[in-house]
Amino acid sequence: MTEENELIAKRKEKLAELREKGINPFPNDFVSDLLVSSIVAKYADLKPEESDDVSAPLSIAGRILTMRVMGKTTFAHIQDSSGKIQIMLRFNDLGEEDYQFAKKYFDIGDFVGATGKVFRTKTGELTIWCTKVRLLTKSLRPLPEKWHGLKNIEIRYRQRYVDLISNPEVKEVFEKRCLIIKNIRKFMDESGFLEVETPMMQSIPGGAAARPFKTHHNALGIDLYLRIAPELYLKRLVVGGFHRIYEINRNFRNEGISTHHNPEFTMMEFYHAYQTYTGLMDFTEQLISTVAKTISDDLKFPFEGNEINLSAPWTRMTMFEAIEKHTGITREKLSDIGSASAQAGKLGIKLEKGTTLGKIILSIFETVVEPKLINPTFIYDFPVEVSPLSRRKDSDTSIVERFELYIAGFELANAFSELNDPIDQFERFQEQVRERQGGDEEAHQMDHDYVRALEYGMPPTAGEGIGIDRLVMILTGSPSIRDVIFFPQLKPEN
């Protein structure tokens, strides 16, 4: 039997003994609204050897992290959602029966409720001098490595509940994630946007080039898809008169898993009528900078050996300018499929048969340029072939009014002036259908209802999607998307 199994067996024996004694090891009648953080704040100026003798005893609850038995005195640290604090149990205060009970049946990992006065020890540690203590939940599994922390990455992701207990810095990352999302909402609300909800299951997956997850609705007898993006439904709302809207949503894409990709991810998508894609660059810069300031006084963040500087102004380049800067390939050399294919070949890029000119240009950019965009960079004016929902530029109809924001060498946001010409949109859907028939599983499907919505008229609009998980990665210095998703997708345990 392994050491862990032996410890579990001993704890189960204690559990059985408690039940034989008629003691419920999982009671639910202890009430405490106090948090450790509020106690620490209230008694920050309490001096050593002083105690709070004026107020009534306070009650607090938490998980035992450490225990030190010193004869007739036991010190323990307990932790709640806000922090940890020391409690002191003494034979003279609790009485023999209760003190011996705590010594015998309390284990690290158990939840206990403690009542007593606050004082500060000679070493300066704020402590609860207990007059009562109760077992609230018996833990059957020992915390990892006797509270030295959980280090195995696979176990940390798979057993996030233990990871959060064992590694305080992990909990801090997720607290920052919650704060980031909270302040994104605050910024959007104060900017006059309305938060909405759109379907997670769609009959036609649209709004992005990606493979969807497929499911079946028994009552309707139809196949449905988990959404790859909320875009087409949000724009239907713009048609209906909601001219500033956003949705913080879950999207699902049946693609590979990496440090930057999880098949289920969070993004914010928003639409602003009577705005352009250049206006959204300014808005995005302000949004992310404002949110960053809520978790740090400095707009500089270390990430993967680089320092990310979010201070304005951010770099702006067209896709062709970025390619020429980092590869030396001019736009003239990317003007036809033959020349562009030759340039891609020199860079070692393998192209599939029938690849369009736009996809060749995008492949060169993504392979060579994207990894080099460390500080915030807006790349704008994309080829029309890779942007089926974007408005063409009036001055050059081979490209569209679209930008992507890159930080730390990966895409963080995608935005464009929306295509609101229903005839152009229908023709581009048809081209996507032809590409799909040619073997491109990520090509957009025809959506006749969306075209019908555009026929009623959608005002000039700009829209954008921002990857929340990737933003949290950057603002918390987390190297993997799995570090900022509570429960990342993993293969089942053997």
Side-chain angles (χ1 to χ4, degrees):
M1 182 181 288
T2 66
E3 180 183 359
E4 183 181 55
N5 288 338
E6 290 176 357
L7 292 172
I8 292 172
K10 289 179 181 178
R11 293 191 179 202
K12 287 184 176 180
E13 288 175 6
K14 292 182 182 181
L15 186 72
E17 288 178 14
L18 289 170
R19 284 179 164 150
E20 287 175 7
K21 293 176 180 289
I23 298 172
N24 183 0
F26 304 101
N28 192 29
D29 58 353
F30 184 91
V31 177
S32 173
D33 294 327
L34 275 178
L35 292 174
V36 166
S37 58
S38 64
I39 297 174
V40 171
K42 182 177 180 180
Y43 296 102
D45 298 327
L46 194 68
K47 297 177 181 178
E49 302 294 334
E50 290 184 345
S51 63
D52 176 31
D53 292 322
V54 179
S55 64
L58 56 81
S59 294
I60 196 164
R63 184 193 294 273
I64 298 175
L65 303 184
T66 65
M67 282 186 69
R68 290 180 293 121
V69 179
M70 304 163 63
K72 293 188 175 183
T73 301
T74 296
F75 289 94
H77 284 97
I78 65 172
Q79 176 179 274
D80 66 9
S81 62
S82 69
K84 65 180 179 179
I85 194 168
Q86 182 170 263
I87 62 173
M88 183 180 74
L89 316 178
R90 295 203 320 166
F91 179 95
N92 291 344
D93 301 313
L94 298 180
E96 180 176 4
E97 183 177 352
D98 288 349
Y99 184 76
Q100 294 300 334
F101 178 91
K103 278 183 62 177
K104 181 175 181 179
Y105 291 107
F106 286 6
D107 289 302
I108 292 175
D110 290 352
F111 283 88
V112 297
T115 301
K117 298 280 189 178
V118 178
F119 81 107
R120 198 176 292 279
T121 65
K122 291 180 181 179
T123 59
E125 184 163 8
L126 202 64
T127 304
I128 308 296
W129 188 326
C130 295
T131 54
K132 293 180 183 178
V133 67
R134 288 186 59 195
L135 177 67
L136 302 181
T137 298
K138 186 66 194 162
S139 169
L140 299 183
R141 286 184 178 270
L143 294 177
E145 300 179 23
K146 299 180 180 179
W147 191 246
H148 292 307
L150 181 63
K151 303 302 181 187
N152 184 290
I153 290 291
E154 180 74 14
I155 296 176
R156 283 183 50 219
Y157 294 150
R158 197 174 293 282
Q159 299 179 24
R160 182 68 83 187
Y161 40 88
V162 183
D163 187 26
L164 292 167
I165 300 168
S166 302
N167 299 311
E169 68 278 6
V170 173
K171 188 166 181 283
E172 289 174 10
V173 166
F174 284 103
E175 287 173 340
K176 287 182 178 179
R177 178 189 172 105
C178 295
L179 186 61
I180 288 166
I181 294 174
K182 176 182 178 181
N183 282 287
I184 288 174
R185 279 196 168 94
K186 182 173 184 287
F187 185 93
M188 298 303 292
D189 292 343
E190 291 178 352
S191 298
F193 286 78
L194 184 69
E195 185 172 9
V196 297
E197 294 178 323
T198 59
M200 301 278 277
M201 294 190 296
Q202 303 176 353
S203 57
I204 300 174
R211 294 178 62 185
F213 288 95
K214 188 176 181 179
T215 186
H216 185 79
H217 192 289
N218 292 331
L220 294 176
I222 59 172
D223 289 334
L224 293 171
Y225 302 88
L226 296 182
R227 71 177 174 200
I228 56 177
E231 178 171 342
L232 301 189
Y233 282 91
L234 287 171
K235 287 196 284 194
R236 284 173 168 94
L237 294 182
V238 176
V239 171
F242 288 89
H243 289 168
R244 289 195 192 188
I245 53 174
Y246 75 98
E247 182 174 7
I248 296 178
N249 56 73
R250 305 292 282 180
N251 292 332
F252 307 85
R253 297 182 184 178
N254 200 349
E255 301 170 341
I257 296 176
S258 71
T259 56
H260 296 161
H261 295 87
N262 192 68
E264 178 183 2
F265 62 97
T266 303
M267 70 182 293
M268 178 181 73
E269 196 155 311
F270 64 95
Y271 290 85
H272 188 338
Y274 314 110
Q275 183 56 278
T276 66
Y277 76 133
T278 54
L280 287 195
M281 291 187 205
D282 298 331
F283 185 85
T284 304
E285 190 173 301
Q286 185 181 4
L287 164 63
I288 293 177
S289 297
T290 301
V291 171
K293 289 176 184 176
T294 65
I295 64 168
S296 174
D297 294 330
D298 195 350
L299 286 177
K300 296 178 181 179
F301 296 83
F303 187 83
E304 292 287 84
N306 295 300
E307 182 178 73
I308 308 298
N309 189 348
L310 299 181
S311 301
W314 294 355
T315 300
R316 302 184 185 191
M317 290 187 288
T318 69
M319 180 169 287
F320 291 107
E321 289 171 345
I323 290 173
E324 183 170 3
K325 177 181 178 179
H326 292 283
T327 69
I329 302 172
T330 64
R331 181 171 183 180
E332 184 180 1
K333 294 177 181 178
L334 299 174
S335 60
D336 60 77
I337 290 180
S339 176
S341 298
Q343 296 300 323
K346 291 178 183 179
L347 295 171
I349 299 172
K350 294 183 179 179
L351 302 173
E352 295 181 3
K353 186 178 179 180
T355 301
T356 64
L357 176 60
K359 287 186 177 181
I360 297 171
I361 295 168
L362 184 62
S363 294
I364 292 173
F365 170 80
E366 290 179 339
T367 303
V368 182
V369 181
E370 182 175 332
K372 299 178 181 179
L373 304 178
I374 305 303
N375 276 309
T377 304
F378 291 109
I379 299 295
Y380 63 97
D381 290 359
F382 280 58
V384 68
E385 298 97 323
V386 296
S387 311
L389 299 167
S390 309
R391 183 185 186 278
R392 296 177 192 262
K393 289 201 74 167
D394 293 331
S395 59
D396 184 350
T397 57
S398 69
I399 57 178
V400 295
E401 296 181 348
R402 172 185 174 187
F403 75 78
E404 289 188 347
L405 170 63
Y406 291 87
I407 303 179
F410 55 81
E411 176 201 341
L412 190 70
N414 182 22
F416 37 85
S417 298
E418 303 298 334
L419 175 59
N420 61 348
D421 178 342
I423 296 174
D424 189 358
Q425 182 64 82
F426 179 73
E427 291 172 351
R428 291 210 228 164
F429 275 160
Q430 285 185 316
E431 178 59 33
Q432 290 286 300
V433 169
R434 285 191 287 271
E435 290 185 20
R436 192 174 187 83
Q437 291 170 343
D440 185 352
E441 295 182 7
E442 294 186 353
H444 213 291
Q445 296 183 32
M446 175 62 73
D447 190 334
H448 290 286
D449 179 70
Y450 177 67
V451 174
R452 178 170 56 192
L454 293 184
E455 289 174 344
Y456 281 98
M458 183 173 78
T461 300
E464 180 172 350
I466 298 176
I468 300 297
D469 307 310
R470 290 182 178 182
L471 178 60
V472 175
M473 285 175 62
I474 292 166
L475 297 185
T476 60
S478 302
S480 172
I481 199 169
R482 293 183 178 187
D483 294 328
V484 299
I485 296 176
F486 274 122
F487 303 103
Q489 196 67 45
L490 300 167
K491 286 185 178 181
E493 291 182 86
N494 293 330

